[in-house]
Amino acid sequence: MQDLEELLSIDRNSIWHPYSAMSSDLPVYHVESAHGVRLKLSSGQELIDGMSSWWSVIHGYNHPQMNQALEQQLKSMGHVMFGGLTHTPAIELTKKLLSITPEPLNAVFYSDSGSVAVDVAMKMAIQYCHAKGEPKRKRFISLRSGYHGDTFGAMSVCDPDTGMHSLFAGVLPEQIFVEQPRCRFGEQCTDKDIAPLKNTLAEYGNQCAALIMEPIVQGAGGMWFYSADYLKQARQLCNEHDVLLILDEIATGFGRTGKLFACEHAQVVPDIMCVGKALTGGYISLAVTLATKEIHTIIDNGEPGVFMHGPTFMANPLACTAALTSISLLLESDWQGNINRIQQSLEKGLAPCRNMEQVNDVRVLGGIGVVELKQQVDMKRIVPQFVDAGVWIRPFGKLIYIMPPYVMTSDDLDSLTRAMRVIISKI
Ligand SMILES: *Cc1c(COP(=O)(O)O)cnc(C)c1O
């Protein structure tokens, strides 16, 4: 075993981390292991995990039932191609997903990551319109401050400014953007709030295959919670303009907002839905695009008679087993009770931040707590402060936010919010 300094120097010199420069002087911490809600660093420090490894590790790390199910699956097969072959983990997972997602969704497409699931959703919408005799409908309407992933298709519907679309001009498809809904979660959506979307659909609707949006929670594009009524009206407008509605539930799916899927807050049903992140309980990458029967039958009956996508590791049996086990664990647990408990704890623990000079807004929804500052966070300073305080929190921009594993105890939640209060007050 090489010593830690040597390992870290290889990391610094040769590995890209997400959205980072290799030559950056930002610290990167070496994790030795993770159990429950704690990350154990090689320095010996233990950190309470406020991030659930980006929304995904909802049951905690190193979960005995997850480990056992995966070990069992390994004994029969780790992988087998999905072209012309099938297996029980994929079939069982499909049955489970169809039983918990909104009723009209009845076909699933498996892929490796959220971004690809979004690209797949966009291709489905285009192929559907083409097969229906509307080949001109190739564009997408999306909300500003949205985030849908990093592949070219997904990136084209992310916020054009934070997504640096100008850098990729000419290569990236040009989509149509609507301003971010300003009506907050819990509020009504007025005519003025919905007008930008309404006008955009009236003007561009007939060139568009779909409206794509994150339901209720805009995640990585700004951690913003908007009115369920806006989503309801968006569904109605899509119907009026014959535009499909793609809901990206990759961050919100599997209980995070207090409903199993965030679209349930608005009793809205999408034509196409993407899930990922918490799908496998954070064990392995897997994502799913679900579509209605109408969409898959029309695609099947159109040109070229097949859906044009098929990843090498499609429906990997280990990933399907992880997903199936994670969903069972979730449904067997009192996840709603846990989310309520986390919500109360975050509301109480973060409320004092509202009165701090440097804070612009504090918002909590389900298992998500956000403190929005007036200024950009100095990552080089703040992350080590969190680590010294024994918590793992990774801010971006002006946002310091947490979405803990659902199993976190109230004491650990208190430690997380205390660290946020103390460190934010000293910014
Ligand atoms: C994370 C995320 C994605 C992209 O998923 P990856 O697995 O990182 O490709 C897409 N949409 C939303 C809403 C996300 O939060």
Side-chain angles (χ1 to χ4, degrees), residues 357-398:
E357 181 61 28
Q358 50 279 64
V359 172
N360 201 27
D361 189 32
V362 175
R363 39 189 188 264
V364 173
L365 174 63
I368 316 166
V370 183
V371 178
E372 184 184 313
L373 304 181
K374 290 178 182 155
Q375 306 279 329
Q376 297 265 335
V377 179
D378 178 357
M379 293 286 277
K380 202 172 151 189
R381 244 176 66 112
I382 203 165
V383 175
Q385 287 178 336
F386 282 130
V387 170
D388 286 343
V391 299
W392 179 241
I393 298 175
R394 190 173 161 83
F396 72 84
K398 297 175 183 169

Coordinates of all heavy atoms in Angstrom, one line a residue, residues 357-398:
E357 N -27.0 38.3 8.8 CA -26.7 39.3 7.8 C -26.3 38.7 6.5 O -26.7 39.2 5.4 CB -25.5 40.1 8.4 CG -25.0 41.2 7.6 CD -26.0 42.3 7.4 OE1 -27.0 42.4 8.3 OE2 -26.0 43.0 6.3
Q358 N -25.5 37.6 6.5 CA -24.9 37.1 5.2 C -25.9 36.2 4.5 O -25.6 35.7 3.4 CB -23.6 36.4 5.5 CG -23.6 35.4 6.6 CD -23.4 36.0 8.0 OE1 -24.3 36.7 8.4 NE2 -22.3 35.7 8.6
V359 N -27.1 36.0 5.1 CA -28.0 35.0 4.5 C -29.2 35.7 3.7 O -29.8 36.6 4.2 CB -28.6 34.1 5.6 CG1 -29.7 33.2 5.0 CG2 -27.5 33.2 6.2
N360 N -29.5 35.2 2.5 CA -30.5 35.7 1.7 C -31.8 35.0 1.9 O -32.9 35.6 1.9 CB -30.1 35.6 0.2 CG -30.8 36.6 -0.7 OD1 -31.3 37.6 -0.2 ND2 -30.9 36.2 -1.9
D361 N -31.8 33.7 2.0 CA -33.0 32.9 2.1 C -32.7 31.5 2.8 O -31.6 31.0 2.6 CB -33.6 32.7 0.7 CG -35.0 32.0 0.7 OD1 -35.7 32.3 1.6 OD2 -35.3 31.3 -0.3
V362 N -33.7 31.0 3.5 CA -33.5 29.6 4.1 C -34.8 28.9 3.6 O -35.9 29.4 3.7 CB -33.5 29.7 5.6 CG1 -33.5 28.2 6.1 CG2 -32.2 30.4 6.1
R363 N -34.6 27.7 3.0 CA -35.8 26.9 2.6 C -35.6 25.5 2.9 O -34.5 24.9 2.8 CB -36.1 27.2 1.1 CG -35.0 27.3 0.2 CD -35.4 27.8 -1.2 NE -34.3 27.7 -2.1 CZ -33.5 28.8 -2.4 NH1 -33.7 30.0 -1.9 NH2 -32.5 28.6 -3.3
V364 N -36.7 24.8 3.3 CA -36.7 23.4 3.7 C -37.9 22.7 3.0 O -39.0 23.3 3.0 CB -36.7 23.2 5.2 CG1 -36.9 21.7 5.5 CG2 -35.5 23.8 5.9
L365 N -37.6 21.6 2.3 CA -38.7 20.8 1.8 C -38.4 19.3 2.0 O -37.3 18.9 1.5 CB -39.0 21.2 0.4 CG -40.1 20.3 -0.3 CD1 -41.4 20.4 0.3 CD2 -40.2 20.6 -1.8
G366 N -39.2 18.6 2.7 CA -38.9 17.2 2.9 C -37.5 17.0 3.5 O -37.2 17.7 4.5
G367 N -36.7 16.2 2.9 CA -35.4 15.9 3.4 C -34.3 16.8 2.8 O -33.1 16.4 2.6
I368 N -34.7 18.1 2.4 CA -33.7 19.0 1.8 C -33.7 20.3 2.5 O -34.8 20.9 2.8 CB -34.1 19.3 0.3 CG1 -34.6 18.0 -0.4 CG2 -33.0 20.0 -0.4 CD1 -35.3 18.3 -1.8
G369 N -32.5 20.7 3.0 CA -32.4 22.0 3.7 C -31.4 22.9 2.9 O -30.3 22.5 2.6
V370 N -31.8 24.2 2.7 CA -31.0 25.0 1.9 C -30.8 26.4 2.6 O -31.8 27.0 3.0 CB -31.6 25.3 0.5 CG1 -30.7 26.2 -0.4 CG2 -32.0 24.0 -0.2
V371 N -29.6 26.8 2.7 CA -29.3 28.2 3.1 C -28.6 28.9 1.9 O -27.6 28.5 1.4 CB -28.3 28.3 4.3 CG1 -28.0 29.7 4.7 CG2 -29.0 27.5 5.5
E372 N -29.3 29.9 1.4 CA -28.8 30.7 0.3 C -28.2 32.0 0.8 O -28.8 32.8 1.5 CB -29.9 31.1 -0.7 CG -29.5 31.8 -1.9 CD -30.6 32.2 -2.9 OE1 -31.5 31.4 -3.1 OE2 -30.6 33.3 -3.3
L373 N -26.9 32.1 0.5 CA -26.1 33.3 1.0 C -26.3 34.5 0.0 O -26.8 34.3 -1.1 CB -24.7 32.9 1.2 CG -24.3 31.8 2.1 CD1 -22.8 31.6 2.1 CD2 -24.9 32.0 3.5
K374 N -25.8 35.6 0.4 CA -25.8 36.8 -0.5 C -24.6 36.7 -1.4 O -24.6 37.3 -2.5 CB -25.8 38.1 0.3 CG -27.2 38.3 1.0 CD -27.2 39.5 1.9 CE -28.6 39.6 2.6 NZ -28.5 40.4 3.8
Q375 N -23.5 36.1 -0.9 CA -22.3 36.0 -1.7 C -21.9 34.6 -2.0 O -22.3 33.7 -1.3 CB -21.1 36.6 -0.9 CG -21.3 38.0 -0.4 CD -21.0 39.1 -1.4 OE1 -20.2 38.9 -2.3 NE2 -21.7 40.2 -1.3
Q376 N -21.1 34.4 -3.1 CA -20.6 33.1 -3.4 C -19.8 32.6 -2.2 O -19.1 33.3 -1.5 CB -19.6 33.2 -4.5 CG -20.2 33.7 -5.8 CD -20.6 32.6 -6.7 OE1 -20.0 31.5 -6.7 NE2 -21.6 32.8 -7.6
V377 N -19.8 31.3 -2.0 CA -19.1 30.6 -0.9 C -17.6 30.5 -1.3 O -17.3 30.2 -2.5 CB -19.7 29.2 -0.6 CG1 -18.9 28.5 0.5 CG2 -21.1 29.3 -0.3
D378 N -16.7 30.7 -0.4 CA -15.3 30.4 -0.6 C -15.0 29.0 -0.3 O -14.8 28.6 0.9 CB -14.4 31.4 0.2 CG -12.9 31.1 0.1 OD1 -12.6 30.2 -0.7 OD2 -12.1 31.9 0.7
M379 N -15.0 28.1 -1.3 CA -15.0 26.7 -1.1 C -13.7 26.3 -0.4 O -13.6 25.3 0.4 CB -15.0 25.9 -2.4 CG -16.3 26.0 -3.1 SD -17.6 25.0 -2.3 CE -17.2 23.4 -3.1
K380 N -12.6 27.0 -0.7 CA -11.3 26.6 -0.1 C -11.3 26.8 1.4 O -10.6 26.1 2.1 CB -10.2 27.5 -0.8 CG -8.9 26.9 -0.7 CD -7.9 27.7 -1.6 CE -6.5 27.6 -1.0 NZ -5.6 28.5 -1.6
R381 N -12.1 27.8 1.8 CA -12.1 28.0 3.3 C -13.2 27.2 4.0 O -13.0 26.6 5.0 CB -12.5 29.5 3.5 CG -11.4 30.3 4.1 CD -11.8 31.8 4.2 NE -13.0 31.9 5.0 CZ -13.0 32.5 6.2 NH1 -11.9 33.1 6.6 NH2 -14.1 32.6 6.9
I382 N -14.4 27.1 3.3 CA -15.5 26.6 4.1 C -15.5 25.1 4.2 O -15.9 24.5 5.3 CB -16.9 27.1 3.5 CG1 -17.9 27.0 4.6 CG2 -17.3 26.3 2.3 CD1 -19.2 27.8 4.2
V383 N -15.1 24.4 3.1 CA -15.1 22.9 3.2 C -14.2 22.4 4.3 O -14.7 21.5 5.1 CB -14.8 22.3 1.8 CG1 -14.8 20.7 1.9 CG2 -15.9 22.7 0.8
P384 N -13.0 22.9 4.5 CA -12.2 22.4 5.6 C -12.8 22.7 7.0 O -12.6 22.0 7.9 CB -10.8 23.2 5.4 CG -10.8 23.5 4.0 CD -12.2 23.7 3.5
Q385 N -13.5 23.8 7.0 CA -14.2 24.2 8.3 C -15.3 23.1 8.6 O -15.4 22.7 9.8 CB -14.8 25.6 8.2 CG -13.8 26.7 8.3 CD -14.4 28.1 8.1 OE1 -15.5 28.2 7.6 NE2 -13.7 29.1 8.6
F386 N -16.0 22.7 7.6 CA -17.0 21.7 7.8 C -16.4 20.4 8.3 O -16.8 19.7 9.2 CB -17.9 21.5 6.6 CG -18.9 22.5 6.4 CD1 -19.1 23.2 5.1 CD2 -19.8 22.9 7.4 CE1 -20.1 24.1 5.0 CE2 -20.8 23.8 7.2 CZ -21.0 24.5 6.0
V387 N -15.3 20.1 7.6 CA -14.6 18.8 7.9 C -14.0 18.8 9.3 O -14.2 17.9 10.1 CB -13.4 18.5 6.9 CG1 -12.5 17.4 7.3 CG2 -14.0 18.2 5.5
D388 N -13.5 20.0 9.7 CA -13.0 20.1 11.1 C -14.2 20.0 12.1 O -14.0 19.5 13.2 CB -12.3 21.5 11.3 CG -11.0 21.5 10.7 OD1 -10.4 20.4 10.4 OD2 -10.4 22.6 10.5
A389 N -15.4 20.4 11.7 CA -16.5 20.3 12.6 C -17.2 18.9 12.5 O -18.2 18.6 13.2 CB -17.6 21.3 12.2
G390 N -16.6 18.0 11.7 CA -17.0 16.6 11.7 C -18.2 16.3 10.8 O -19.0 15.4 11.0
V391 N -18.4 17.2 9.8 CA -19.6 17.0 8.9 C -19.1 17.1 7.4 O -18.1 17.8 7.1 CB -20.7 18.0 9.1 CG1 -21.3 17.9 10.5 CG2 -20.3 19.4 8.8
W392 N -19.8 16.4 6.5 CA -19.5 16.5 5.1 C -20.6 17.2 4.4 O -21.8 16.7 4.3 CB -19.4 15.1 4.5 CG -19.1 15.2 3.0 CD1 -19.8 14.7 2.0 CD2 -17.9 15.8 2.4 NE1 -19.2 15.0 0.8 CE2 -18.1 15.7 1.0 CE3 -16.8 16.5 2.9 CZ2 -17.2 16.2 0.1 CZ3 -15.9 17.0 2.0 CH2 -16.1 16.9 0.6
I393 N -20.3 18.5 4.0 CA -21.3 19.3 3.3 C -20.5 20.0 2.2 O -19.4 20.5 2.4 CB -21.8 20.4 4.3 CG1 -22.6 19.8 5.4 CG2 -22.7 21.4 3.5 CD1 -23.1 20.8 6.5
R394 N -21.0 19.9 1.0 CA -20.3 20.5 -0.2 C -21.2 21.5 -0.9 O -22.1 21.2 -1.6 CB -20.0 19.4 -1.1 CG -19.0 19.9 -2.2 CD -18.5 18.8 -3.1 NE -18.0 19.3 -4.3 CZ -16.8 19.8 -4.4 NH1 -15.9 19.8 -3.4 NH2 -16.4 20.3 -5.6
P395 N -21.0 22.8 -0.5 CA -21.8 23.9 -1.1 C -21.5 24.1 -2.6 O -20.5 23.6 -3.1 CB -21.3 25.1 -0.3 CG -20.4 24.6 0.8 CD -19.9 23.3 0.3
F396 N -22.3 24.8 -3.3 CA -21.9 25.4 -4.6 C -22.5 26.8 -4.8 O -23.6 27.0 -4.3 CB -22.3 24.4 -5.8 CG -23.8 24.3 -6.1 CD1 -24.4 25.3 -6.9 CD2 -24.5 23.3 -5.6 CE1 -25.7 25.2 -7.3 CE2 -25.9 23.2 -5.9 CZ -26.5 24.1 -6.8
G397 N -21.8 27.6 -5.4 CA -22.2 29.0 -5.6 C -22.5 29.7 -4.3 O -21.7 29.7 -3.4
K398 N -23.8 30.2 -4.2 CA -24.2 30.8 -3.0 C -25.0 29.9 -2.0 O -25.6 30.3 -1.1 CB -25.2 32.0 -3.3 CG -24.5 33.1 -4.1 CD -25.6 34.1 -4.5 CE -24.9 35.2 -5.4 NZ -25.9 36.0 -6.0

